[in-house]
Amino acid sequence: MEVNIKMMNLSKSQYIRGLQCHRSLWLYKNRLELRDKSNIQTDSLFKTGYQVGELAKQLFAGGVEIAFDSDDFGGMIAKTKSLITNGTEVIYEATFSENGIFVMVDILVKNGDKWDIFEVKGTTKIQNKNKLIKKKYLNDIAIQWYVLSCCLKLNRAYIVHIDNTYVRQGELSLESLFKKVDVTDAVLQQQEIIPNQLKSMQTMLISDEPNISIGKHCFDPYECDFMTYCWQHIPKENSVFDISYANGKQWRLLDMGIYSIDDIPDSFHLGANASLQIAYHKSQEVKIDKTKIKMFLDTIKYPINFFDFETFQEVVPRFNNQRPYKHIPFQYSLHILYEDGTFEHKEFLGDENKDPRESLIVNMLNDITSEGSIVAYNQSFEIKQIKNLANFMPSRDKELLDLIERFVDLAYPFQKKYYYHPKFKGKYSIKVVLPTLFPNDPELDYKKLGTVQNGGDAMEIFAKLHLLKDQTKREEIRDELLAYCHLDTLAMVRIWEKLHTMIED
Ligand code: SF4
């Protein structure tokens, strides 16, 4: 079908934004000042993408790069044209524009008298559960094909992404780290609908702000960065979006004009967990089942090892026996409580320049007492890491695997609602339970820590620590990592003590 598209100046990312929500594109073009600052992609994510992109270029060595210049897109396009005319066979960030649609191709490779397009993604999975290419990836490469087909003969389109089955042994193998998936057929199918999509964006952009309500599209495929503006009618506290395990029913409530938990009619059917959350919210009662809490506490044996791992992950493995995105434990904290009431604290923090696993195993097996319980919060994570460590070091695997049966999960009494507080809002993570049980306790306040205030911070900072040149800053960060992990196990100790106090009252 012929669709007349006039010049409208749209980059690839703006087109993707428009596909997600016309209102988002309209706001981006007309009211950029309303954009949420906090949701703008973080520097670290950008760096990850950059590293992957740079490595993928080495799969097609010897190419010429078009340097990005936000003040001179015309120059980038002209340079691309000139490279093509001069017979360059591999171009990185090749830049094109057609009818004002502007795209940059990660890698463009000459193949006979045609060209192949390669789009690089740092993800490990590009297909959905029906084995179709996920829309967000397909749309991205399909618009490139649409623009390029106006001036080049195209051969195939590929998505190059990370293969997380790759296990590094020796030199990094780029051919094994990356998978190239031919998505040409899906891209060609998509070409039929692109003109109409562009036409409707063009019509929308010359009109008033579209009247589009909030909905699931605000998160799919990306969390929108205009939520502060569009979601201002949703209460900040106790909205229907604070219901845990709502199974999507919050959208039905929204359709009914119900925004607050307080306004949900008793006749509205939610699941058992969500109903309980709402009932406790409305009554503001605190539930304490002393019998069950006591039964749980009786399963914990002295000496009690309160234990917590921190892990990091990397897209590009640095060490042997490391896979992309695989969690690698690099740190632990251990508070040991003996039956006579004495405490001991032990900890380990790996060297950021080396694979930390071997030293961690040796220290951990030495530090954890040979008897007694090992208490973790959400034990499945710690147990999974221990199984991975056993695979990593077969010479110590029995000792490691023997630890597993000694684990007790401190989250259990909260998960099972032996103790429930309306402030939990249906959740039971330590970050929710701790401030509720110990409000305004400076000893247990994660916000008083430095740059490492949660597991995500620890993961990200340790992975990059080896790149930091400033030794003094490195030592400061290592101290902050130790302080964070120490607080995690101290928090468990205090929660365990609090549970004892509850059954004594
Ligand atoms: S917050 Fe939702 S409705 Fe508003 S622009 Fe974003 S996606 Fe559209």
Side-chain angles (χ1 to χ4, degrees):
M1 186 203 303
E2 266 304 300
V3 180
N4 181 24
I5 302 161
K6 295 198 185 97
M7 189 76 90
M8 64 171 162
N9 289 325
L10 207 62
S11 68
K12 182 184 78 173
S13 62
Q14 289 166 5
Y15 163 77
I16 301 288
R17 179 183 283 275
L19 288 182
Q20 178 167 345
C21 174
H22 271 192
R23 190 181 183 189
S24 173
L25 178 58
W26 191 95
L27 289 167
Y28 190 85
K29 288 283 198 183
N30 297 287
R31 300 291 310 275
L32 192 59
E33 74 281 5
L34 298 174
R35 194 180 181 200
D36 301 337
K37 305 279 180 291
S38 58
N39 277 349
I40 297 171
Q41 271 213 330
T42 66
D43 188 34
S44 69
L45 281 175
F46 176 75
K47 277 181 184 153
T48 304
Y50 183 74
Q51 188 191 26
V52 169
E54 288 305 299
L55 277 174
K57 284 173 192 168
Q58 294 176 27
L59 290 168
F60 307 91
V64 180
E65 176 133 7
I66 305 292
F68 184 76
D69 184 349
S70 59
D71 295 326
D72 189 14
F73 291 134
M76 292 168 68
I77 293 164
K79 172 101 191 281
T80 305
K81 259 190 196 153
S82 126
L83 288 175
I84 289 170
T85 312
N86 293 339
T88 306
E89 303 231 312
V90 178
I91 306 173
Y92 313 129
E93 313 299 345
T95 307
F96 299 85
S97 174
E98 180 65 24
N99 280 336
I101 318 296
F102 174 85
V103 297
M104 290 164 65
V105 179
D106 286 339
I107 305 166
L108 186 65
V109 179
K110 191 92 187 273
N111 188 342
D113 64 342
K114 294 184 178 178
W115 293 85
D116 290 331
I117 296 174
F118 294 87
E119 171 69 16
V120 182
K121 297 290 175 201
T123 182
T124 59
K125 213 165 161 233
I126 60 163
Q127 291 171 324
N128 61 22
K129 53 179 186 276
N130 298 321
K131 302 271 179 223
L132 298 170
I133 305 300
K134 288 183 185 173
K135 278 272 181 224
K136 64 176 175 181
Y137 302 131
L138 184 57
N139 289 331
D140 196 317
I141 192 163
I143 190 71
Q144 296 177 45
W145 184 285
Y146 177 80
V147 170
L148 268 66
S149 60
C150 297
C151 49
L152 284 184
K153 276 201 259 177
L154 297 175
N155 181 46
R156 310 299 292 174
Y158 299 88
I159 294 177
V160 181
H161 72 98
I162 299 290
D163 182 350
N164 66 349
T165 62
Y166 168 59
V167 182
R168 180 167 184 165
Q169 297 295 351
E171 283 296 302
L172 185 68
S173 163
L174 294 180
E175 290 296 338
S176 306
L177 174 65
F178 288 107
K179 254 188 193 170
K180 292 179 205 139
V181 181
D182 187 335
V183 295
T184 314
D185 293 345
V187 162
L188 288 174
Q189 276 176 26
Q190 201 73 1
Q191 299 307 299
E192 292 169 22
I193 57 172
I194 290 176
N196 276 331
Q197 288 169 338
L198 291 171
K199 179 79 182 156
S200 77
M201 285 182 206
Q202 184 184 50
T203 310
M204 176 272 296
L205 283 172
I206 53 169
S207 309
D208 292 338
E209 181 181 339
N211 183 14
I212 294 173
S213 304
I214 63 170
K216 287 182 191 165
H217 59 272
C218 300
F219 303 95
D220 184 18
Y222 305 104
E223 186 171 321
C224 182
D225 45 13
F226 285 104
M227 288 185 56
T228 305
Y229 170 67
C230 295
W231 285 62
Q232 53 191 300
H233 57 297
I234 303 298
K236 297 270 175 293
E237 287 280 322
N238 302 314
S239 84
V240 294
F241 293 96
D242 288 318
I243 306 171
S244 302
Y245 309 106
N247 293 330
K249 288 189 176 166
Q250 60 276 60
W251 299 110
R252 269 184 50 204
L253 288 163
L254 206 67
D255 289 343
M256 292 160 66
I258 296 169
Y259 305 149
S260 167
I261 288 181
D262 296 303
D263 299 329
I264 299 174
D266 293 340
S267 56
F268 188 85
H269 185 70
L270 285 154
N273 271 319
S275 300
L276 204 69
Q277 177 191 345
I278 291 164
Y280 277 105
H281 167 75
K282 288 186 174 172
S283 70
Q284 284 297 302
E285 261 181 59
V286 175
K287 178 188 170 188
I288 306 178
D289 186 331
K290 291 188 182 185
T291 311
K292 288 198 172 138
I293 292 173
K294 181 170 184 323
M295 280 167 62
F296 167 77
L297 290 172
D298 285 347
T299 64
I300 301 175
K301 307 287 178 233
Y302 289 100
I304 309 173
N305 296 261
F306 296 92
F307 186 80
D308 184 61
F309 276 132
E310 299 304 328
T311 61
F312 74 103
Q313 49 179 188
E314 292 173 310
V315 188
V316 182
R318 267 192 293 153
F319 310 116
N320 283 342
N321 295 311
Q322 186 183 1
R323 280 179 18 201
Y325 293 110
K326 178 98 176 161
H327 283 271
I328 307 270
F330 66 90
Q331 176 179 17
Y332 64 78
S333 171
L334 172 66
H335 273 89
I336 305 171
L337 173 60
Y338 295 94
E339 197 156 9
D340 62 5
T342 55
F343 264 112
E344 206 177 350
H345 179 252
K346 298 186 176 187
E347 62 192 358
F348 172 86
L349 175 56
D351 179 342
E352 62 274 12
N353 300 304
K354 293 199 287 202
D355 187 338
R357 286 173 287 188
E358 190 172 334
S359 330
L360 180 138
I361 291 168
V362 171
N363 281 274
M364 180 178 76
L365 289 175
N366 195 39
D367 285 347
I368 291 179
T369 59
S370 58
E371 293 181 325
S373 298
I374 305 169
V375 175
Y377 205 97
N378 274 335
Q379 64 178 27
S380 58
F381 181 76
E382 266 67 29
I383 289 175
K384 190 172 175 193
Q385 302 317 314
I386 286 176
K387 286 180 181 169
N388 289 341
L389 290 172
N391 277 332
F392 172 78
M393 200 171 178
S395 61
R396 307 294 299 261
D397 64 348
K398 181 164 181 342
E399 293 160 272
L400 285 162
L401 296 174
D402 282 351
L403 298 174
I404 291 173
E405 63 185 22
R406 294 166 56 196
F407 267 85
V408 178
D409 197 338
L410 192 59
Y412 194 77
F414 304 102
Q415 182 188 10
K416 292 291 167 193
K417 299 189 170 55
Y418 300 165
Y419 178 89
Y420 184 81
H421 193 291
K423 284 193 178 158
F424 288 176
K425 296 182 178 171
K427 302 187 179 80
Y428 59 90
S429 78
I430 199 162
K431 302 292 183 290
V432 172
V433 168
L434 192 68
T436 307
L437 293 181
F438 302 94
N440 307 317
D441 184 334
E443 182 194 41
L444 300 173
D445 188 353
Y446 283 89
K447 293 195 182 74
K448 286 208 173 343
L449 297 173
T451 45
V452 186
Q453 297 192 348
N454 57 55
D457 291 342
M459 182 182 286
E460 201 170 319
I461 284 172
F462 186 81
K464 288 195 289 196
L465 197 54
H466 67 106
L467 300 170
L468 192 63
K469 299 267 182 296
D470 182 339
Q471 276 305 322
T472 315
K473 185 73 191 153
R474 263 200 207 198
E475 286 311 315
E476 273 173 31
I477 290 176
R478 288 181 62 84
D479 287 345
E480 289 184 5
L481 285 163
L482 290 170
Y484 166 70
C485 202
H486 175 272
L487 183 48
D488 267 351
T489 48
L490 179 66
M492 280 194 259
V493 173
R494 297 289 179 253
I495 290 171
W496 175 88
E497 289 170 342
K498 190 77 164 182
L499 288 171
H500 272 278
T501 318
M502 285 175 196
I503 58 171
E504 281 159 13
D505 286 345

